[in-house]
Amino acid sequence: MENHHCKHINDLPSNCMLRIFTFLPDPSDRYRCSAVSRRWLLLQLQLQPCDLPEFPSQQDSSSSSNSDLDFSSDAEDDDNEVDTLNTLEGPMANDMRIAAAVMSRAYYSILIELNLVEDFPSNNPFSALHHEVVTDFGLQMISLACPYLEVLRLINCIHVTIAGVVFIAEKCTNLTSLELNSCPLVGDEALLALAQHSGLLSFLTLRRCLLVTEKGIAAVLTRVPTFKGKSVLCIELSYEDDDLLNNGANDSVVEVRNFQYVRETSELKLSSIVEALRMNFLILEPCIGKTDSTFILSSPSKTLTEFHSIKIKNCDKFTETGLTDLTGRAHLLEKIKLEKCSGITTQNLLGAFINCRTRLKYLSLLDCTIDEDSKQEMAEEDHELFKTNAFYAALEGVKVENCRGISEAFLSWIGATCRRANTIEMLNMEMFTDDCLIALVKSLKGTTTRLTKLDLSGCEGITDRGMIYAMIVVGKKLEWLGLGKCRGLSWRSLGKVGEECRRLKYLDLSECAVSDRVVMKIARAGMVRLKTLKMVGCEGVTDKGLGWLRFLKGSLVDVDLSGCVSVSEAGVALMCQVLAAGDVADVTVA
Amino acid sequence: MATIITKEQQEKEKMVTLVSSDSEKFVVEQKVAEKSHVIKMVMNCCGIESPIPVRRVKGDILKSILEYCEKHSKGEAQEVMEKWDKEYMDKAEKDLVFFHDLMLASHFLHIQELVDLIAVTFAGMLKMKSPEEIRQKFNINNDLTKEQEEHIMTTFGWAFQPI
C-alpha cells in the first residue's frame, strides 16, 4: 500500500492531470506547478499558450507521456504571430521538439525565424537514432511546414548534413539569412542548392564548416542575385576556407562589399579583404599565414574609407609593411589594437600612426614584443621622428600593457602625443621612466587637459621626480589614479598625490611605500569625492594612519586593506565606522 | 446509498449487473449505469442481460462511483446536489490513494462530471503551494534539470514569492 502511495499521482493519465490544471485559474499556481517535475512542466506547457512561456504543443496524451519529450520553456514566445522568434537550445534542440512544434501550431506556417542551438556533441552515439538531436529529418519537417522561413540559424548541429540544408533550400525559398556555425557535415552541395533556389539570400554566415570550400561559396556569390545587387553583410570564414574570398572578390562580376567582420584571416584572404572597400571592422586573429605582403600586392590605389577599427592578435608574421600599408590606406582608422604581435617594430608603429594621425583615437598595445634589433637601428632616426611628429591631437585613449622592447624614446613619444587624451594606461611597463612621464605630462601642460584616468600600475621605473612633476601638472583633474606596485615612489611623491589630486574618485596605492604620513596627507587634502582606496600590502600603514581617514567620512565607501600587516582589529573597527555604507575588504592582521 | 445486489427484479427500471475487478457484483438501474459513457456503450452493443465486467475498477471504488451516479441520476435541485457533492468529496479526499483511484476509475469509465468534480478538488490541493510542498505531498521526484528549474524561477520569479 505504501508503495502504491508513493507513485500515485504520477499514475494519472495526462488527460486527468490536464483536467486538474484547468481548474487552477491563478497563473502563479500554474507556474509553481510547472516547477514540480518534468512531467508537470510538460503538462503545463500543453495547457494555455497565453499564460506560459510555452513551446507550442497540443500533443495527445500518448505521445506526451513519452518521457523523452521535453517541452520546456525556452521558446521566447511573443504572441505577435508575425514576428515570431523561436529558439531551441541545448537538449531542447532535437527532432522531437521540432516535430511537435511543427505539427501543433498552425502559425508555424508563417514562422519567420528559427534558431537551433545544440549543446556540444553528446557522448551517446545513438542520439541521432533516437532523435535527441537535430538531424536532417528535423530540417525536412521545418522545410515542409515553414515555407515562409526567412532566418535560420544552425549552431553546433553536428548531425545535420548536406541533405538537410538542401531540404531547406528547396522549400524555404524566402530564406534571406542563414547561419551555419559548427556544422561539420554541411558541404558545398548545400551551398550549391542554396545558390540554385534561394534567390533572396543576402546574409550568410559560415563558421567552422569544414566541408565548405571555395566552390560552394563561389556558387552562392555568383548565382544568387541578391549577393550581387546588395551585399554580403557577413561572411565569417575559418582558416580552412582559404581561397573563398578570392573567388568572390576577384571575380569581376561579383562585388563583395560591406564586410563587417572578417576573422581568422590568412594571407590569401587578406588580398581580398582589401578589395572589400567598405569594410569597417577588421579582426585578424591567429594569422599564421606567411607574410602580410598581400596588403601591398593588392591594388594599391584603393583606399579603405570606411575602415574604422583594427584589432590584430597573435599575428607573428604581421610586420611593418602590412601595418604601414594598411594604415596608409585606411585614413579614417580610429582604433588600433595589437595583441601579442611579435613581428612589429618601433618604426612600423610609428609609420602606422603617422598614416592615420588625423583620426586615430584609441591605441592599445597588449603583450607585444617589439623587435629589439630594428629598434636599435632606428633609434637615432626615431628620435628625430619623435620630435617632429608629436602632433597627434586626436588620440583619446592609450593603453600599453606588458610590452617588451619598447624603447624609452618611443614611450616618451607616445606620451607626447596624448595632448587630448583622457585615458592613459601604462601597465607593467618597466621602460616607462621618469623621462617618459615628464614627456607625457609636458604635452599636457599648458593645454586644457582632459586627462581623467591615469594608470601606471607596475611601472617600477617611475620615481619621485617624475611623479611630483606629473601631479603638479595634471593632478588637479585626475579622477582615477592607479599606482599599484610603483615601488620607486616614496612618501614625498605619494604625499604630493594627496596635495594635488582633489577630484580623485579612485586611488590605488597597493604595494607602494605608503606610510601613515602619506595617509594623513591624502586624508587631509580634502578629496571629497574619493570613493575607493586600495592599499593592498601596504605594510607601513598602522591604525594611526587609518585614523586620519575619518576626514574622508561621507565619501569613502570601499577601502581595501588586505595584507596590511600593521593594522590591528581596532583599526579595522574604526574604518568600519568611517565607512557607513561601505565595507572593508579582507583585512589581514598580523 | 447505492443499490446493491438483491434488488427485486420487478423494479420498473431495467436493472444491470456490474462486476468489479475483485468480482464484487453491483446491480444498478440502467439509467444510473448510463452515467458512465463506457458502460452505456457496452450496454448498447451487448445488452443488459449478462453481467458487465468492469475489470479495471476495484469493488470499493466502483461502489463509491455508483453511489455518485445514482445520486446524480435523480435530477434533484442544484443546491442539494452541490452540497452532496461537497460532502462526497470531503469524504473521498481524506484518502489520497482512494481519491486517486477514484479519479482513474471515473476517467476510465468516462464519467466526465465526476472527473471534473475530482479535478476541482485536486486543483484545490495544489493552490497556494510551493513546488516543494507539492512534491512532498504527492511524493514526486524532482527530475527537472538545474537549468530548467532556474529558467522557470527566473522567468516567473514573482510566482514563487512566499505567499
Side-chain angles (χ1 to χ4, degrees):
Chain A
M1 195 63 189
E2 192 51 41
N3 192 23
H4 184 61
H5 182 254
C6 283
K7 53 174 186 173
H8 71 271
I9 200 162
N10 272 345
D11 283 350
L12 285 179
S14 298
N15 287 351
C16 289
M17 298 288 286
L18 288 172
R19 198 70 198 157
I20 291 170
F21 292 140
T22 54
F23 292 105
L24 279 177
D26 185 349
S28 65
D29 280 329
R30 291 260 195 93
Y31 298 138
R32 284 195 290 267
C33 283
S34 66
V36 167
S37 76
R38 272 175 148 216
R39 180 163 182 244
W40 285 46
L41 174 64
L42 212 121
L43 292 164
Q44 287 294 337
L45 294 173
Q46 292 181 48
L47 268 176
Q48 293 301 320
C50 56
D51 286 341
L52 280 159
E54 100 296 10
F55 195 83
S57 137
Q58 289 161 4
Q59 295 268 304
D60 57 41
S61 58
S62 64
S63 67
S64 69
S65 57
N66 174 353
S67 64
D68 277 341
L69 266 179
D70 180 12
F71 293 91
S72 42
S73 45
D74 255 40
E76 278 133 306
D77 183 42
D78 42 5
D79 275 344
N80 187 343
E81 296 193 353
V82 180
D83 296 324
T84 305
L85 170 90
N86 271 299
T87 303
L88 295 179
E89 272 183 278
M92 270 71 77
N94 60 49
D95 280 355
M96 298 302 276
R97 281 186 65 107
I98 293 173
V102 163
M103 287 189 300
S104 61
R105 243 198 207 181
Y107 80 62
Y108 261 71
S109 60
I110 56 164
L111 179 76
I112 287 179
E113 181 165 345
L114 182 65
N115 302 319
L116 300 171
V117 185
E118 274 192 53
D119 276 346
F120 280 101
S122 70
N123 295 326
N124 183 357
F126 301 107
S127 54
L129 286 176
H130 296 143
H131 296 292
E132 286 164 8
V133 294
V134 177
T135 66
D136 292 340
F137 177 65
L139 291 186
Q140 188 179 12
M141 283 189 292
I142 293 170
S143 70
L144 293 171
C146 313
Y148 300 103
L149 195 70
E150 287 179 11
V151 180
L152 180 64
R153 293 193 187 86
L154 301 173
I155 298 170
N156 294 331
C157 296
I158 56 165
H159 296 279
V160 167
T161 70
I162 293 163
V165 181
V166 170
F167 284 132
I168 296 284
E170 284 174 353
K171 302 286 180 191
C172 304
T173 48
N174 289 322
L175 205 65
T176 59
S177 169
L178 176 66
E179 176 171 344
L180 298 169
N181 190 339
S182 307
C183 302
L185 299 181
V186 176
D188 285 343
E189 286 85 347
L191 293 186
L192 288 172
L194 282 169
Q196 201 179 342
H197 299 284
S198 306
L200 299 174
L201 196 69
S202 61
F203 193 104
L204 176 66
T205 306
L206 300 165
R207 297 190 70 186
R208 283 184 227 113
C209 297
L210 306 188
L211 290 181
V212 172
T213 69
E214 69 270 24
K215 196 174 139 208
I217 296 269
V220 173
L221 289 176
T222 48
R223 285 197 223 155
V224 178
T226 43
F227 268 71
K228 248 184 267 178
K230 293 179 185 172
S231 58
V232 189
L233 283 175
C234 176
I235 291 191
E236 295 193 31
L237 298 165
S238 50
Y239 57 89
E240 293 86 356
D241 323 311
D242 231 338
D243 297 325
L244 310 190
L245 283 172
N246 269 345
N247 279 6
N250 294 340
D251 194 320
S252 57
V253 184
V254 187
E255 287 180 66
V256 184
R257 284 164 178 258
N258 263 350
F259 287 83
Q260 289 188 331
Y261 291 89
V262 180
R263 275 177 170 269
E264 296 177 355
T265 313
S266 70
E267 185 188 9
L268 274 166
K269 276 179 279 172
L270 284 183
S271 62
S272 337
I273 290 168
V274 181
E275 302 284 326
L277 300 182
R278 301 180 65 192
M279 176 164 63
N280 54 31
F281 196 92
L282 174 65
I283 298 175
L284 302 177
E285 269 182 301
C287 295
I288 312 161
K290 293 122 210 163
T291 68
D292 48 17
S293 54
T294 45
F295 275 108
I296 296 147
L297 290 175
S298 54
S299 48
S301 60
K302 291 183 177 170
T303 51
L304 303 163
T305 47
E306 302 212 358
F307 205 107
H308 291 305
S309 176
I310 175 171
K311 177 181 170 187
I312 299 173
K313 193 176 172 183
N314 285 338
C315 303
D316 284 347
K317 304 287 182 183
F318 194 79
T319 63
E320 60 251 64
T321 35
L323 189 62
T324 313
D325 191 64
L326 184 68
T327 50
R329 279 187 273 141
H331 294 306
L332 302 180
L333 203 63
E334 288 181 358
K335 287 187 186 181
I336 295 185
K337 186 172 182 180
L338 301 176
E339 204 173 328
K340 292 180 185 157
C341 298
S342 48
I344 290 172
T345 66
T346 313
Q347 195 206 13
N348 169 15
L349 280 172
L350 196 63
F353 301 149
I354 292 170
N355 279 335
C356 48
R357 59 177 168 255
T358 47
R359 290 292 184 96
L360 192 68
K361 285 182 180 163
Y362 300 98
L363 169 68
S364 148
L365 302 172
L366 295 175
D367 300 315
C368 291
T369 308
I370 308 295
D371 197 333
E372 288 284 339
D373 289 336
S374 39
K375 185 200 78 185
Q376 276 168 14
E377 273 175 36
M378 301 310 300
E380 280 309 303
E381 200 179 325
D382 280 353
H383 278 292
E384 286 305 307
L385 281 167
F386 293 152
K387 278 174 190 166
T388 52
N389 287 293
F391 51 79
Y392 297 92
L395 213 58
E396 288 178 6
V398 178
K399 182 170 184 175
V400 183
E401 188 174 345
N402 286 332
C403 293
R404 288 172 198 282
I406 293 187
S407 72
E408 223 181 301
F410 185 60
L411 285 171
S412 304
W413 174 79
I414 292 180
T417 60
C418 300
R419 194 165 299 163
R420 300 175 71 180
N422 49 33
T423 306
I424 296 178
E425 291 170 79
M426 297 281 167
L427 303 173
N428 297 327
M429 294 296 302
E430 290 169 15
M431 295 303 292
F432 196 79
T433 59
D434 281 349
D435 292 329
C436 303
L437 186 59
I438 289 170
L440 176 117
V441 171
K442 267 185 179 166
S443 76
L444 299 164
K445 195 181 177 185
T447 59
T448 47
T449 171
R450 300 179 184 186
L451 192 70
T452 52
K453 177 171 175 176
L454 180 63
D455 196 343
L456 301 172
S457 302
C459 297
E460 299 187 13
I462 301 175
T463 65
D464 286 352
R465 184 169 69 97
M467 197 63 205
I468 291 176
Y469 184 71
M471 284 304 107
I472 290 171
V473 177
V474 298
K476 288 185 178 62
K477 287 206 170 179
L478 279 183
E479 291 179 0
W480 205 107
L481 181 60
L483 296 173
K485 296 184 190 169
C486 290
R487 296 198 179 88
L489 301 178
S490 76
W491 62 270
R492 283 190 183 83
S493 56
L494 294 175
K496 200 71 184 167
V497 170
E499 285 173 20
E500 296 292 337
C501 305
R502 302 282 161 84
R503 292 179 168 221
L504 275 187
K505 290 176 180 168
Y506 180 102
L507 179 59
D508 187 351
L509 298 175
S510 303
E511 299 189 34
C512 287
V514 182
S515 63
D516 285 349
R517 191 169 173 175
V518 173
V519 177
M520 183 195 80
K521 284 207 170 192
I522 289 170
R524 294 181 66 177
M527 297 184 200
V528 287
R529 301 181 190 181
L530 191 68
K531 281 186 174 173
T532 309
L533 179 60
K534 283 189 186 287
M535 296 195 288
V536 179
C538 295
E539 297 178 4
V541 180
T542 67
D543 292 355
K544 197 179 155 194
L546 292 183
W548 288 107
L549 289 178
R550 67 179 181 273
F551 283 103
L552 297 173
K553 192 174 182 177
S555 66
L556 214 53
V557 292
D558 185 12
V559 177
D560 193 340
L561 296 172
S562 24
C564 293
V565 288
S566 313
V567 176
S568 74
E569 282 178 21
V572 176
L574 184 79
M575 279 315 297
C576 292
Q577 285 180 356
V578 172
L579 306 170
D583 55 330
V584 187
D586 316 318
V587 180
T588 319
V589 181
Chain B
M1 279 302 291
T3 325
I4 309 165
I5 321 179
T6 59
K7 273 256 176 177
E8 288 298 318
Q9 291 260 319
Q10 293 93 344
E11 284 282 341
K12 284 175 227 162
E13 285 291 333
K14 290 180 186 167
M15 300 303 283
V16 60
T17 310
L18 304 175
V19 185
S20 71
S21 63
D22 41 1
S23 307
E24 205 174 332
K25 284 184 181 161
F26 300 90
V27 179
V28 292
E29 291 172 19
Q30 191 181 353
K31 70 172 183 186
V32 172
E34 262 175 3
K35 279 277 165 194
S36 157
H37 192 66
V38 170
I39 296 177
K40 186 179 173 186
M41 301 232 296
V42 174
M43 291 189 297
N44 282 349
C45 64
C46 310
I48 56 172
E49 285 74 35
S50 56
I52 298 171
V54 192
R55 291 212 185 89
R56 303 258 296 261
V57 184
K58 283 199 293 184
D60 53 343
I61 305 291
L62 190 58
K63 182 177 155 191
S64 181
I65 285 179
L66 291 174
E67 192 184 330
Y68 173 90
C69 293
E70 195 190 356
K71 191 74 185 170
H72 278 251
S73 60
K74 282 178 186 163
E76 286 180 37
Q78 204 180 345
E79 302 89 70
V80 181
M81 294 313 298
E82 276 175 10
K83 188 159 174 272
W84 187 87
D85 280 353
K86 195 172 175 302
E87 281 165 15
Y88 179 72
M89 276 296 112
D90 284 347
K91 206 162 56 186
E93 75 177 309
K94 276 178 194 149
D95 184 349
L96 276 179
V97 180
F98 175 79
F99 194 57
H100 157 257
D101 287 345
L102 196 66
M103 178 85 172
L104 265 185
S106 51
H107 177 250
F108 168 69
L109 293 171
H110 270 253
I111 311 172
Q112 197 55 44
E113 292 163 59
L114 183 55
V115 171
D116 283 358
L117 181 64
I118 297 169
V120 170
T121 318
F122 239 129
M125 296 181 194
L126 303 176
K127 272 179 193 162
M128 314 291 268
K129 291 260 175 28
S130 72
E132 191 48 50
E133 284 172 319
I134 294 173
R135 276 182 224 123
Q136 276 181 0
K137 183 166 170 104
F138 299 107
N139 221 333
I140 299 169
N141 262 350
N142 181 10
D143 53 2
L144 288 169
T145 64
K146 269 232 163 71
E147 291 78 40
Q148 285 169 322
E149 213 165 352
E150 262 167 34
H151 181 88
I152 300 168
M153 291 291 187
T154 48
T155 319
F156 306 104
W158 54 269
F160 297 93
Q161 300 299 320
I163 304 150

